[in-house]
C-alpha cells in the first residue's frame, strides 16, 4: 500500500508496512526519498490527515518547543533517521507552544516527547533527548534497520579505545557529554578513556562529580577499580620484560595488569588459574584479588556471578 502525503493526498514513491508487519517483511527496494517527502510540520490544519496517513504508514511524532534545548539536540537526529529509513515512517514535528490544544489532546506534559503512531493509535513513546544509538535501538523494535548505516559515535569511540587510541575516544566522548549532559554513561565512558590515556586524576575527578547513585553504579565502580588496580600494577613495559616467565609472580602481575586495563574476564580467568596452580602464593593473593575485583564490579555484574560460582566450585 503506498504512503499518502498528508499535505497533498498524493501517494509517495515507497510502499511500506506497519510496525507490526515490519519485523516480518523485508524492506522494499525504492529510490531514496527527499526530506520533504518524509518530514512534515504538524498543526491544526493537517493533524487529521496525519492520523489518517498513519493507517498506511507509521508516524513518528516529535513534540518540541522553541525554548527547549534538548529538543534542539534531538530534532536533527530524528530528521536524519527519517531520511535514512527512507519512508519506513513519517516524521511529524509538533511545536507544542504554537499548538497547545493538540499538545493537550496528545497528553504531552514535557518535551521532548516522541510518540510512534500507527493505525491511528499510540504504539510507543519515549521522553527526553536520547542519544542516537538508543533511538536506533528503540526504532529497531518496529522497523528493519536501514542498510549501510555508518558507525555511531559510541561505536567509533569504543573501536578507538580497543585500538589503543585513547585520545580519539576521549574526544568523541567529550562531545557526547556536551550533547547529553544527563546521560551519565557517557561521563563514565569518558572517565574510562581518560584512564586509558593516563589521565587518572581527571578521571577520578569526573567520577567524583557524578550523582551518588551513578557513582556507586557498577560501570563507575569498574572504572574506579581500573584506577586502583592500575596504581598497583606493573607498567606494560615491565610486564613485557617478564616475557617467557611462567612463575606465580609473573602470572599474578599479568592478571593484575589485565584487570587494570579493564580486561576483567581475562584477569579473573588468570587469577583463577593461578589459584588452581599455587593456592598459597603470597598468602593467597590470587583469591584476595578475585574478591577485590568482585567488589569493584558489583555483586550483580555477570562476571562477578560467573566467577563467584567458579571460585566456589573450585574451593568446595
Amino acid at each position: 500500500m503506498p504512503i499518502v502525503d498528508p499535505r497533498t493526498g498524493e501517494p509517495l514513491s515507497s510502499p511500506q508496512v506497519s510496525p507490526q508487519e515490519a519485523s516480518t517483511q523485508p524492506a522494499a527496494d525504492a529510490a531514496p526519498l527527499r526530506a520533504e517527502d518524509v518530514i512534515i510540520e504538524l498543526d491544526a490544519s493537517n493533524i487529521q490527515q496525519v492520523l489518517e496517513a498513519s493507517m498506511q504508514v507509521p508516524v513518528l511524532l516529535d513534540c518540541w518547543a522553541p525554548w527547549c534545548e534538548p529538543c534542539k539536540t534531538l530534532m536533527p537526529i530524528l530528521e536524519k533517521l527519517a531520511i535514512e529509513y527512507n519512508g519506513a515512517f513519517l516524521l511529524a514535528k509538533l511545536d507544542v507552544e504554537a499548538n497547545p490544544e493538540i499538545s493537550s489532546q496528545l497528553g504531552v506534559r514535557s518535551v521532548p516527547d516522541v510518540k510512534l503512531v500507527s493505525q491511528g493509535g499510540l504504539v510507543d513513546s519515549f521522553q527526553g533527548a536520547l542519544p542516537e544509538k538508543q533511538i536506533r535501538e528503540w526504532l529497531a523494535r518496529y522497523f528493519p534497520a536501514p542498510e549501510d548505516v555508518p558507525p555511531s559515535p559510541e561505536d567509533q569511540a569504543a573501536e578507538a579505545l580497543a585500538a589503543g587510541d585513547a585520545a580519539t575516544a576521549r574526544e568523541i566522548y567529550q562531545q557526547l557529554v556536551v550533547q547529553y549532559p544527563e546521560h551519565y554513561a557517557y561521563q563514565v565512558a569518558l572517565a574510562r578513556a581518560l584512564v586509558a590515556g593516563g589521565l587518572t586524576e581527571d578521571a577520578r575527578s569526573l567520577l567524583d562529580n557524578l550523582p551518588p547513585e551513578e557513582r556507586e553504579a557498577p560501570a563507575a565502580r569498574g572504572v574506579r577499580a581500573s584506577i586502583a588496580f592500575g596504581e598497583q600494577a606493573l607498567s606494560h613495559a615491565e610486564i613485557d620484560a617478564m616475557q617467557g616467565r611462567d612463575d606465580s609472580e609473573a602470572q599474578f602481575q599479568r592478571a593484575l595488569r589485565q584487570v587494570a586495563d579493564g580486561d576483567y574476564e581475562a584477569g579473573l580467568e588468570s587469577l583463577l588459574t593461578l589459584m588452581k596452580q599455587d593456592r598459597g602464593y603470597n598468602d593467597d593473593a590470587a583469591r584476595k584479588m578475585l574478591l577485590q575485583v568482585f567488589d569493584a564490579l558489583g555483586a550483580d555484574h555477570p562476571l562477578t556471578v560467573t566467577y563467584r560460582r567458579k571460585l566456589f566450585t573450585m574451593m568446595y
Side-chain angles (χ1 to χ4, degrees), residues 184 210-221:
Y184 298 110
L210 290 172
E213 65 275 12
E214 298 295 336
R215 281 201 303 268
E216 297 306 316
R221 287 166 63 94

Side-chain angles (χ1 to χ4, degrees), residues 4 85 94 118 167 185 237:
V4 176
Y85 272 76
L94 176 70
S118 182

Side-chain angles (χ1 to χ4, degrees), residues 5 64 86 94 97 124 173 182 193 223 226 232 260 282 307:
D5 189 331
W64 67 284
N86 200 34
L94 176 70
E97 193 170 79
D124 202 352
Y173 284 129
E182 295 185 1
V223 179
S226 293
Q232 302 174 48
N282 197 16
Y307 279 88

